[in-house]
Amino acid sequence: MPPTPPPGPAPLDRPAPPTRRAPRSRRRALALLVTTALGLVGVVTLLVTWVSIGVRTVQAAQDAAPGTCLAAYEAGEADARVGFAVVPARSVCTWDVDGARERSVVAAAPTAVVVGGLVLLLGGAAGTAVAVLPPRQARAAAGGAAARRGDAP
């Protein structure tokens, strides 16, 4: 014999009510704001430092005295080259003088400024990534621990 349905009104096929999002934490929002700002300060610091080195190098090349590495570079001599280094941030002119390779620093920035900018950039990026990650579900962890305790002999 088939089972009889329970007495009362028939259940309606209603969709489940929408679940509410967990409220956003002001602490997380503040952490996101601070870490993003620190990362942006690092980016701006590095950009200003490296662009100023490039500008000073171009200005020095335009005002180069004859017989210097930058004058040889501006004249297009094959043995004169200008290179840039990231850390320490500087531009270096190298050329051959009487068979010997000579290097001269054209423009440089303090290493502490560049390292500080890199630390702010990387720290801000890492902090932003951590602040954006969803929080751990405390209820799920607590439920899992309770279930493990219940299974224990």
Side-chain angles (χ1 to χ4, degrees), residues 41-42 45-46 49-50 53 86-90 108-121:
V41 167
T45 301
L46 293 173
T49 301
W50 291 329
I53 288 174
V86 176
V87 175
R90 62 183 177 176
T111 303
V113 171
V114 176
V115 170
L118 286 171
V119 166
L120 286 174
L121 171 65

Side-chain angles (χ1 to χ4, degrees), residues 1-145:
M1 177 150 96
T4 59
L12 299 175
D13 290 333
R14 290 185 189 170
T19 58
R20 296 189 75 190
R21 261 204 248 170
R24 295 194 176 164
S25 167
R26 287 184 180 155
R27 206 176 274 167
R28 285 185 63 197
L30 181 62
L32 185 62
L33 177 70
V34 169
T35 56
T36 303
L38 289 175
L40 287 174
V41 167
V43 167
V44 169
T45 301
L46 293 173
L47 280 175
V48 167
T49 301
W50 291 329
V51 167
S52 67
I53 288 174
V55 168
R56 286 185 291 177
T57 302
V58 170
Q59 289 173 344
Q62 290 174 348
D63 302 332
T68 62
C69 179
L70 284 176
Y73 179 75
E74 282 293 312
E77 294 182 19
D79 62 344
R81 296 175 58 152
V82 175
F84 296 90
V86 176
V87 175
R90 62 183 177 176
S91 60
V92 179
C93 187
T94 56
W95 67 323
D96 290 328
V97 177
D98 299 329
R101 195 84 170 148
E102 288 189 15
R103 297 176 56 162
S104 62
V105 176
V106 179
T111 303
V113 171
V114 176
V115 170
L118 286 171
V119 166
L120 286 174
L121 171 65
L122 296 175
T128 300
V130 169
V132 168
L133 290 176
R136 288 190 232 171
Q137 298 296 330
R139 280 180 260 132

